[in-house]
Amino acid sequence: MGETTYVEAIRQGIWEEMERDENVFLMGEDIAVYGGAFKITHGMLERFGERRVVDAPLAESGIVGAGTGAAINGLRPVLEMQFADFMACGFDQITNFAAKCRYRWGQAIPMVIRAPAGGNIHGGPFHSQNVEMPYVHTPGLKVVQPATAYDAKGLIKAAIRDNDPVIYLEHKYLYRSVKERLPSRGHTVPIGKARVHRVGSDISIITYGWMVHVASEAAERAAAEGISVEVVDLRTLVPLDREAILSTARKTSKVILLHEDTLTGGLGGELAGIIGEHAFDYLDGPLVRIAAPDTPVPFSDTLEKAFLPSSDQVLEKTRWLHRF
Amino acid sequence: MGETTYVEAIRQGIWEEMERDENVFLMGEDIAVYGGAFKITHGMLERFGERRVVDAPLAESGIVGAGTGAAINGLRPVLEMQFADFMACGFDQITNFAAKCRYRWGQAIPMVIRAPAGGNIHGGPFHSQNVEMPYVHTPGLKVVQPATAYDAKGLIKAAIRDNDPVIYLEHKYLYRSVKERLPSRGHTVPIGKARVHRVGSDISIITYGWMVHVASEAAERAAAEGISVEVVDLRTLVPLDREAILSTARKTSKVILLHEDTLTGGLGGELAGIIGEHAFDYLDGPLVRIAAPDTPVPFSDTLEKAFLPSSDQVLEKTRWLHRF
Amino acid sequence: MVMMRELEDRIEKKLYRQGKVIGGCYTGRGQEAIPVGSAILSRSGDWLTPSHRDMAALLIRGITPREILAQYMGRATGLTRGRDGNMHMGCSRRHCVPIISSIGASIPVATGLAFAMRYRNESNVVFNYSGDGATSRGDWHEGLNMASVMELPIVYLCNNNLYAYSTPLDKQMRIADIAVRVESYGMPSEIVDGNDVLAVHAATERALRHARAGKGPYFIECKTFRMSGHSAHDPADYVPRGLREEWSRKDPILMLQKHMVEHAGADEQDFVDLRKRVLEEISDALEWALAQPFPDPSTLEADVYESR
Amino acid sequence: MVMMRELEDRIEKKLYRQGKVIGGCYTGRGQEAIPVGSAILSRSGDWLTPSHRDMAALLIRGITPREILAQYMGRATGLTRGRDGNMHMGCSRRHCVPIISSIGASIPVATGLAFAMRYRNESNVVFNYSGDGATSRGDWHEGLNMASVMELPIVYLCNNNLYAYSTPLDKQMRIADIAVRVESYGMPSEIVDGNDVLAVHAATERALRHARAGKGPYFIECKTFRMSGHSAHDPADYVPRGLREEWSRKDPILMLQKHMVEHAGADEQDFVDLRKRVLEEISDALEWALAQPFPDPSTLEADVYESR
Ligand SMILES: Cc1ncc(C[n+]2csc(CCOP(=O)(O)OP(=O)(O)O)c2C)c(N)n1
Ligand SMILES: Cc1ncc(C[n+]2csc(CCOP(=O)(O)OP(=O)(O)O)c2C)c(N)n1
Ligand SMILES: [Mg+2]
Ligand SMILES: [Mg+2]
């Protein structure tokens, strides 16, 4: 019983749901014969057949629209976008069609859109983007991004069982860089619940995705300096776990909002809005946002390193806020 | 010399720039022969000819892509989206192609995308949306939304002269509901500069678009109760005028962040992030966000009224914050 | 057919102008033969995705004038409970998908509806309706191509009414017949007189035989004309007078009546009676709809997600 | 041609595996005849939008192996100054638009490039390159349709290499020839052996005569084959062995050499010498590129907007 990687955890979760429910099917580019650009659907064609594991033409809008139609007509599509960046090509279908069906005519759309997101893989401007915000901003969609193998499996299973459209953002850098032992009996992780990744008392870092690990590293180093940092992993971006956000803010009174996504219009602002309005009285220091600068994601190693938030940066801000 | 409406002001601004620069041209659906769904380009075909006023097929992605190509090859396209909601159909071209050219290969894209946005016109879920945030979130794009006829004209002229892609959001409800006397000599309004719409000392309301007028109405009523409200009209959403935002916050120490767009992921969060980080020491009360609830825009009158932020709501929050 | 005509007349010419109907207001005047000649052949298991000019398809599926009028007037008992307006209506139970505004967006969705039918080995079919303008959209191309590659049971009814809003065909495409476009997808097609309800009916029968037999999608181009402005506010001055007159002589309802007189022994009186019955039903429906409540603002945030 | 082959070989087989080239790594091995046979005919005023398999088009436009290698290795002196990587390269001065990743996105952009040429009454032409997979995209449809409606000067060179990543043609479309698709746009087209540089050259000449004369766009389908994986990490096991062998015999470089021997009196030695010269130039370029600096992190936020 070895450890399971993040990428394998997603694969297991999909596999188990395919076994569990005949109405679950997969559609995407190069997912069947090839097993997917990141091999998430590897072996599924052989196991479940081409009826349920479907290679589609190169057409994101068509794929999302087809998923929506299939969901209207009783199926539970799990769509793969080869890279999250290409969701932009299906933006109208996602935000205007799928997201608004329940509200307009009471029609549920139990659909999952899986999308490999995030950087630190030398992907450059079009294979590294963090695309969550336009979807976080669209009522009717749910958005999740796991940071651990446990959550990766539990959230994909919960997403597939959910009766609303769920944007499931997988972090490409975490695919093979994180692993852990998973419970043998398939578990789910509830959508809408954050998780305290590390308990602390002086400063809270609220984050998600790969940055959970960057924050933990900084927290570890801060601990050596006598600063106790709490790291909250949001896990779900819509609906946000407001209790978890507010309770950690009220507990430590000093909050850092961290994300890999660019600063302006990023989730950090939304969190600042929630905390600045509902935990204002508890705050003993500024709401510190740490994020990538407002530029496309650079390709070159030196630039990408400087672009991505680092544990050095987080540690430095942590010290500053602690002194404040 | 009567007053000029917001809609006419935009038309004048485009007209003057067409006269001034041979490289400026217009492309969109039903803009030439028909003069545009909102008649902004009325009469321009007759004046400038079909070479410069171009009816395009029903294809937003094609139109934006064509504008980008024309801009690369030396022209200054002014594109019309029939409704801002349909920008979703050109999302990849806008956010991945046009926005990133300068950063990637130093190629300027002097292009304006005009889009009628906003509600209070019984437009329902697809003709009322406020779409600014996905573009605010995209480095490389500039985003403006005028609240007055003066700014409508000045900003469209500045946008057309700008060497970066500018998303120019026109508020449909303001088209004919606001007017004023305009200077006879064509003026421009600098992109990136906010404007104090009303001076006050107790509370700041930072907003933009139609909500500037809703805030003013509330401010007027608050004044009668002895509460002095400052209303800041951002005018430009990217780049944000951080000085203006921080100085009004530091001045009144109590800030309301107001927008017509839905709450989660809206600009209010971004503003909260800026103020909560850089004016924290000055704040004497919570950062209050007022926005539409997280739902699509409802069609029915009773629902749309309840959906849109009202001066009653703003006044109530203003009183509450003043008492705080 | 007469019901759709009169109902839309009432909505546009009376209610809209009286301000009882708000927002955009589109009609399918002159195009009634297309939804009528086709949807009449639909089975309960089939799915329909009507365009904004196909009200008759909804009526045929059992959606009532009452529901439609309540929808148009934004009442709580309308098909979208006041959440959406005008022709943006549909119903899960009666298998009608309401359009979203984005023209052409329903075409990939039709692909998915049909995919589910094939998935379950059904003999059901999707009736997809769209206009000439929709064929310029990327979604149209992606949706039709996927449907043909996957050989899905879809009958496409394309109403070529010569205009997309104010834009005539020659500014939309460099070809005379839209049917040519589906050769890109190796899809069988035919062209019919969209104002001849019997021709539409016959073509749809052929298409259904093809689709229900599992032979894949089938495309029908219906030549027709929009006998109204794009929407209630549009005088459509851009349409040449002659063109209008020419087509008004081909009014699908007149054509059908002529046929019924010549071949079914109907006479003027029958049509007068029919129209009378229709108008009565509409008045009754209108009375009902006008008495319906507007949505309760307390429900504002409901129905965005399952659990709320 | 040989330069592109050897340069890409070097990049993929050496530098990528040595980790000197990072990120995705695509080559056009086996497709060199398409950019070479066409771009050679471009004039300085023309614009090119190469795909990720058309490095030779860049070389022909005067972009040097030094710049290309510096680009691949993310150096400050590469074509995108380290901002973007691999085949995402172009140059305003030399009129090459770098692709973005979204397949098909350059097709509406080509429409706009050509629109500006017509706007200024130039006789210049846009060379647009894309693959079979791109034809499934909505952007492909919208871009070609607009170009045809507006009768713009564009020559489309479509490399039909039988696969989109792992997806064979029959899962992409229900037709054998992509050229059929452009009948949707009333666009003239022809099909050529994309591995025969002379055939590509001749077809491009015909296309240019048409386009430069103001007769609108022209489409050339080049039948070819991707003699490599989709990218460096892809063994392409999904490609039948036989197919690979069949096409390796049609290697465009061998075909050209054969022709030169038979008709231009060339002999083996000429090719050996040429290859030697090419390899020398590459080694020189590589040496130069390896000595180039990486971008200075202090420039991180530059070049997003004009005024910064
Ligand atoms: C993507 C998109 N762009 C623009 C519009 C605005 N619009 C509404 S209907 C219409 C014309 C549609 O033409 P066609 O498909 O021929 O349908 P018709 O109205 O002629 O029946 C336009 C441009 C829209 N609804 N969606
Ligand atoms: C919109 C979009 N979806 C998916 C991808 C991932 N992807 C990159 S290349 C490719 C295949 C392209 O096939 P084709 O157009 O035939 O070009 P080829 O690689 O065969 O030369 C895919 C699916 C992408 N780049 N863009
Ligand atoms: Mg039409
Ligand atoms: Mg290919």
Side-chain angles (χ1 to χ4, degrees):
Chain A
M1 264 288 307
E3 296 184 311
T4 308
T5 58
Y6 184 98
V7 67
E8 177 61 19
I10 299 169
R11 186 165 166 278
Q12 277 181 18
I14 296 170
W15 192 288
E16 289 174 12
E17 293 307 299
M18 290 280 280
E19 294 281 5
R20 197 183 58 77
D21 183 348
E22 170 80 14
N23 289 325
V24 177
F25 75 96
L26 314 177
M27 186 182 284
E29 295 157 12
D30 309 293
I31 66 166
V33 173
Y34 192 63
F38 294 97
K39 297 298 173 195
I40 299 257
T41 54
H42 177 68
M44 297 198 185
L45 174 66
E46 294 69 13
R47 170 68 186 85
F48 300 105
E50 59 184 1
R51 170 167 163 268
R52 297 182 64 193
V53 185
V54 183
D55 274 329
L58 206 171
E60 283 70 15
S61 193
I63 291 168
V64 174
T68 304
I72 290 171
N73 200 0
L75 301 183
R76 306 187 77 87
V78 179
L79 310 177
E80 173 171 303
M81 299 280 114
Q82 207 159 78
F83 283 85
D85 311 67
F86 305 137
M87 288 172 72
C89 302
F91 195 69
D92 185 56
Q93 285 287 347
I94 298 169
T95 61
N96 283 328
F97 214 123
K100 296 177 173 56
C101 279
R102 181 184 294 279
Y103 179 79
R104 295 170 58 231
W105 54 301
Q107 173 62 57
I109 305 295
M111 173 166 80
V112 178
I113 300 178
R114 285 183 39 240
N120 202 29
I121 56 156
H122 306 305
F126 306 107
H127 291 74
S128 309
Q129 293 180 84
N130 290 283
V131 303
E132 55 269 29
M133 287 316 291
Y135 308 103
V136 165
H137 178 260
T138 304
L141 301 176
K142 294 177 178 175
V143 183
V144 303
Q145 182 169 54
T148 66
Y150 182 91
D151 289 340
K153 180 171 180 179
L155 281 171
I156 191 66
K157 287 168 70 76
I160 292 171
R161 297 180 192 188
D162 198 277
N163 287 326
D164 288 308
V166 180
I167 309 297
Y168 181 92
L169 298 169
E170 327 176 334
H171 200 293
K172 296 187 288 292
Y173 176 68
L174 296 180
Y175 273 151
R176 290 168 178 85
S177 67
V178 302
K179 51 163 115 59
E180 68 189 287
R181 292 188 63 150
L182 298 185
S184 49
R185 288 178 53 267
H187 64 282
T188 62
V189 168
I191 291 174
K193 289 263 157 288
R195 179 179 63 88
V196 176
H197 183 75
R198 174 193 179 103
V199 178
S201 53
D202 299 330
I203 285 178
S204 299
I205 302 179
I206 305 177
T207 187
Y208 58 97
W210 171 40
M211 287 297 124
V212 169
H213 305 283
V214 171
S216 306
E217 189 184 323
E220 200 59 46
R221 294 162 64 186
E225 303 175 14
I227 309 175
S228 167
V229 175
E230 177 151 295
V231 177
V232 174
D233 175 2
L234 290 169
R235 303 196 293 188
T236 294
L237 309 188
V238 176
L240 274 171
D241 187 343
R242 295 168 76 96
E243 292 77 59
I245 293 162
L246 292 172
S247 61
T248 191
R250 291 177 178 138
K251 174 183 177 187
T252 66
S253 301
K254 291 185 172 183
V255 186
I256 292 174
L257 310 164
L258 168 67
H259 51 69
E260 179 186 338
D261 187 16
T262 48
L263 180 73
T264 299
L267 193 77
E270 180 60 29
L271 299 170
I274 292 170
I275 296 167
E277 183 159 13
H278 304 291
F280 177 77
D281 294 341
Y282 295 81
L283 294 180
D284 293 336
L287 293 163
V288 175
R289 284 193 295 171
I290 305 176
D294 291 324
T295 81
V297 184
F299 167 75
S300 190
D301 195 46
T302 53
L303 293 176
E304 192 182 17
K305 275 203 176 58
F307 174 86
L308 295 168
S310 66
S311 64
D312 289 357
Q313 240 176 310
V314 176
L315 180 61
E316 185 193 303
K317 290 283 195 179
T318 303
R319 292 192 188 114
W320 178 86
L321 186 56
H322 188 247
R323 281 195 307 274
F324 187 88
Chain B
M1 265 283 311
E3 296 184 310
T4 307
T5 57
Y6 183 99
V7 68
E8 176 61 19
I10 300 169
R11 186 166 167 279
Q12 276 182 18
I14 296 170
W15 192 288
E16 289 174 12
E17 293 307 299
M18 290 280 281
E19 294 281 4
R20 198 184 57 78
D21 183 349
E22 170 80 14
N23 289 325
V24 177
F25 76 97
L26 314 177
M27 187 182 284
E29 295 157 12
D30 309 294
I31 65 165
V33 173
Y34 191 64
F38 294 98
K39 297 300 174 194
I40 299 256
T41 54
H42 176 68
M44 296 197 185
L45 173 66
E46 295 68 13
R47 169 67 186 85
F48 300 105
E50 60 185 1
R51 170 169 163 269
R52 297 181 65 193
V53 185
V54 183
D55 274 329
L58 206 172
E60 283 70 16
S61 192
I63 290 168
V64 174
T68 304
I72 290 171
N73 200 359
L75 301 184
R76 306 187 77 85
V78 179
L79 310 177
E80 173 171 303
M81 300 279 116
Q82 206 158 80
F83 284 85
D85 311 67
F86 305 136
M87 288 172 72
C89 301
F91 195 70
D92 185 56
Q93 285 287 345
I94 298 170
T95 61
N96 283 328
F97 214 124
K100 296 176 172 59
C101 280
R102 182 185 293 279
Y103 179 80
R104 295 170 58 231
W105 53 302
Q107 174 62 58
I109 305 294
M111 173 166 78
V112 178
I113 300 178
R114 287 182 38 241
N120 201 30
I121 56 156
H122 305 306
F126 306 107
H127 290 74
S128 309
Q129 295 180 83
N130 290 284
V131 303
E132 54 270 29
M133 288 316 291
Y135 308 104
V136 166
H137 179 259
T138 305
L141 301 176
K142 294 177 179 175
V143 183
V144 302
Q145 182 169 54
T148 66
Y150 182 90
D151 289 341
K153 180 171 180 178
L155 281 171
I156 191 66
K157 287 168 70 76
I160 292 171
R161 297 180 191 187
D162 198 277
N163 286 327
D164 288 308
V166 179
I167 309 297
Y168 181 92
L169 299 169
E170 328 176 333
H171 200 294
K172 295 187 289 292
Y173 175 69
L174 296 180
Y175 273 151
R176 291 169 177 84
S177 66
V178 302
K179 54 162 114 59
E180 68 189 286
R181 292 189 63 151
L182 298 185
S184 49
R185 289 178 52 266
H187 64 283
T188 61
V189 168
I191 291 174
K193 290 263 157 288
R195 179 180 62 88
V196 176
H197 184 75
R198 175 193 178 103
V199 178
S201 54
D202 298 330
I203 285 178
S204 300
I205 302 179
I206 304 176
T207 187
Y208 57 98
W210 171 40
M211 287 297 125
V212 170
H213 304 284
V214 172
S216 307
E217 189 185 323
E220 199 61 45
R221 293 162 65 186
E225 303 175 15
I227 309 175
S228 167
V229 175
E230 178 151 295
V231 178
V232 174
D233 175 2
L234 290 169
R235 303 197 292 189
T236 294
L237 309 189
V238 177
L240 274 170
D241 186 343
R242 294 168 76 99
E243 292 78 61
I245 292 163
L246 292 172
S247 62
T248 192
R250 290 176 179 139
K251 175 183 177 187
T252 66
S253 301
K254 290 185 172 183
V255 185
I256 291 174
L257 310 165
L258 168 67
H259 51 70
E260 179 186 338
D261 186 16
T262 48
L263 180 73
T264 298
L267 193 77
E270 181 59 30
L271 299 170
I274 293 170
I275 297 168
E277 184 159 12
H278 303 290
F280 178 77
D281 294 341
Y282 295 81
L283 294 180
D284 293 337
L287 293 163
V288 175
R289 285 192 295 172
I290 305 176
D294 291 326
T295 80
V297 184
F299 167 75
S300 190
D301 196 46
T302 52
L303 292 176
E304 192 182 17
K305 276 204 175 57
F307 174 85
L308 296 166
S310 66
S311 65
D312 288 358
Q313 239 175 311
V314 176
L315 179 61
E316 184 193 303
K317 291 283 195 179
T318 302
R319 291 194 189 114
W320 177 86
L321 187 56
H322 188 247
R323 281 196 307 274
F324 187 90
Chain C
M1 218 147 139
V2 175
M3 171 58 82
M4 169 169 166
R5 171 73 54 94
E6 296 297 339
L7 190 51
E8 291 192 331
D9 269 3
R10 181 70 61 99
I11 289 167
E12 185 188 36
K13 302 207 178 126
K14 286 236 183 62
L15 302 173
Y16 180 77
R17 299 186 186 163
Q18 292 167 4
K20 290 207 187 75
V21 161
I22 52 180
C25 176
Y26 312 89
T27 76
R29 190 175 306 115
Q31 304 180 196
E32 295 90 345
I34 299 163
V36 170
S38 54
I40 202 90
L41 289 162
S42 67
R43 298 183 190 159
S44 64
D46 297 335
W47 272 89
L48 282 67
T49 66
S51 84
H52 51 294
R53 312 247 181 238
D54 300 303
M55 184 186 283
L58 302 175
L59 293 165
I60 288 168
R61 293 299 289 187
I63 291 169
T64 65
R66 288 183 168 197
E67 292 173 286
I68 291 173
L69 285 165
Q71 159 83 6
Y72 264 87
M73 296 191 289
R75 307 303 169 114
T77 49
L79 285 162
T80 60
R81 301 156 351 276
R83 300 260 192 262
D84 205 342
N86 56 60
M87 277 306 296
H88 292 200
M89 57 185 147
C91 171
S92 303
R93 181 166 52 82
R94 286 162 291 191
H95 287 198
C96 293
V97 177
I99 46 166
I100 69 169
S101 287
S102 308
I103 289 290
S106 69
I107 286 153
V109 172
T111 302
L113 291 163
F115 177 88
M117 292 167 174
R118 222 263 316 276
Y119 194 88
R120 288 186 298 258
N121 243 306
E122 303 167 355
S123 64
N124 295 319
V125 166
V126 176
F127 292 62
N128 175 271
Y129 297 84
S130 67
D132 45 288
T135 70
S136 301
R137 281 292 322 285
D139 272 16
W140 190 88
H141 177 68
E142 294 190 6
L144 267 80
N145 186 51
M146 278 179 69
S148 67
V149 169
M150 301 182 182
E151 291 186 293
L152 301 175
I154 306 180
V155 173
Y156 296 98
L157 290 128
C158 178
N159 68 75
N160 179 350
N161 63 6
L162 310 183
Y163 285 88
Y165 205 151
S166 75
T167 308
L169 276 188
D170 64 356
K171 276 194 183 162
Q172 297 183 53
M173 58 192 79
R174 264 270 164 283
I175 50 174
D177 298 318
I178 289 171
V180 169
R181 298 215 143 159
V182 304
E183 288 166 22
S184 289
Y185 318 114
M187 195 184 293
S189 69
E190 59 183 280
I191 299 174
V192 300
D193 176 351
N195 286 27
D196 178 346
V197 68
L198 301 173
V200 172
H201 189 273
T204 307
E205 280 182 321
R206 286 187 290 273
L208 286 170
R209 261 197 302 282
H210 178 89
R212 294 204 199 277
K215 295 187 188 150
Y218 194 102
F219 188 88
I220 303 172
E221 175 181 1
C222 306
K223 306 276 193 189
T224 184
F225 183 73
R226 198 187 67 204
M227 281 173 60
S228 62
H230 169 64
S231 67
H233 71 273
D234 170 23
D237 306 326
Y238 46 80
V239 178
R241 264 189 129 286
L243 196 61
R244 260 189 247 185
E245 282 156 7
E246 175 194 335
W247 280 92
S248 63
R249 282 191 297 279
K250 297 193 221 153
D251 182 324
I253 293 182
L254 298 184
M255 280 175 73
L256 177 59
Q257 290 179 341
K258 189 158 168 301
H259 175 90
M260 289 170 77
V261 170
E262 289 166 2
H263 303 86
D267 64 21
E268 263 315 312
Q269 193 51 43
D270 297 327
F271 307 136
V272 173
D273 296 346
L274 172 64
R275 182 152 188 280
K276 188 154 162 304
R277 282 204 305 286
V278 165
L279 292 178
E280 276 162 16
E281 187 174 348
I282 292 175
S283 310
D284 155 83
L286 182 54
E287 200 176 307
W288 180 86
L290 283 167
Q292 295 301 301
F294 284 99
D296 179 343
S298 72
T299 66
L300 181 62
E301 302 196 35
D303 303 334
V304 177
Y305 297 98
E306 181 175 44
S307 46
R308 242 208 206 179
Chain D
M1 218 147 139
V2 175
M3 172 58 81
M4 169 170 168
R5 171 73 55 95
E6 296 297 339
L7 191 51
E8 291 191 332
D9 268 4
R10 181 70 61 99
I11 290 167
E12 184 188 38
K13 302 203 177 132
K14 287 235 182 63
L15 301 174
Y16 179 76
R17 296 180 192 169
Q18 292 168 4
K20 290 208 187 73
V21 161
I22 51 179
C25 176
Y26 312 89
T27 76
R29 190 174 307 115
Q31 303 180 199
E32 295 90 344
I34 297 164
V36 170
S38 53
I40 202 89
L41 290 162
S42 67
R43 298 182 190 160
S44 64
D46 296 336
W47 273 88
L48 282 66
T49 65
S51 84
H52 51 295
R53 311 247 182 238
D54 300 303
M55 184 186 282
L58 301 176
L59 293 166
I60 288 167
R61 293 299 289 187
I63 291 169
T64 65
R66 288 183 170 198
E67 293 172 285
I68 291 173
L69 285 165
Q71 159 83 4
Y72 265 85
M73 296 191 288
R75 307 302 168 115
T77 49
L79 285 162
T80 60
R81 303 159 345 282
R83 301 263 194 260
D84 204 343
N86 57 59
M87 276 305 297
H88 291 200
M89 56 185 148
C91 172
S92 303
R93 181 166 52 82
R94 286 163 291 192
H95 286 199
C96 293
V97 177
I99 46 167
I100 69 170
S101 286
S102 308
I103 290 289
S106 69
I107 285 153
V109 173
T111 303
L113 290 163
F115 177 89
M117 292 166 174
R118 223 261 318 274
Y119 193 88
R120 288 186 298 258
N121 242 305
E122 302 168 355
S123 65
N124 296 319
V125 166
V126 176
F127 292 62
N128 175 271
Y129 298 83
S130 66
D132 46 287
T135 71
S136 301
R137 281 291 323 285
D139 272 16
W140 190 87
H141 177 68
E142 294 190 6
L144 267 80
N145 185 51
M146 277 179 69
S148 67
V149 169
M150 300 182 183
E151 291 185 294
L152 301 175
I154 307 179
V155 173
Y156 296 99
L157 290 128
C158 178
N159 69 75
N160 179 351
N161 62 7
L162 310 183
Y163 285 87
Y165 205 151
S166 74
T167 309
L169 276 188
D170 64 355
K171 276 194 183 163
Q172 298 183 53
M173 59 192 78
R174 264 269 164 282
I175 50 176
D177 299 317
I178 289 171
V180 169
R181 298 214 143 159
V182 303
E183 288 167 23
S184 288
Y185 319 113
M187 196 184 293
S189 69
E190 60 183 278
I191 299 173
V192 300
D193 177 350
N195 286 27
D196 178 347
V197 67
L198 301 173
V200 172
H201 188 274
T204 306
E205 279 183 321
R206 288 187 288 274
L208 286 169
R209 260 196 302 282
H210 178 89
R212 293 204 199 277
K215 296 187 188 151
Y218 194 102
F219 189 89
I220 302 171
E221 175 181 3
C222 306
K223 305 278 194 187
T224 184
F225 183 73
R226 197 186 68 203
M227 282 173 61
S228 62
H230 169 63
S231 67
H233 71 272
D234 171 24
D237 306 326
Y238 46 80
V239 178
R241 265 189 127 287
L243 196 60
R244 260 189 248 185
E245 283 155 7
E246 174 194 336
W247 280 92
S248 63
R249 283 191 295 278
K250 297 194 224 153
D251 182 323
I253 294 182
L254 298 184
M255 280 176 73
L256 177 60
Q257 290 180 340
K258 189 158 169 302
H259 175 91
M260 290 170 77
V261 171
E262 289 166 3
H263 302 87
D267 63 23
E268 264 313 313
Q269 193 51 43
D270 298 328
F271 307 135
V272 173
D273 297 346
L274 172 64
R275 182 151 187 279
K276 189 155 160 304
R277 283 203 305 284
V278 165
L279 292 178
E280 275 161 18
E281 187 175 348
I282 292 175
S283 310
D284 156 82
L286 183 54
E287 199 177 308
W288 179 87
L290 283 166
Q292 295 303 300
F294 284 99
D296 178 345
S298 72
T299 65
L300 181 63
E301 301 195 36
D303 303 335
V304 178
Y305 297 98
E306 181 174 45
S307 47
R308 241 207 206 178

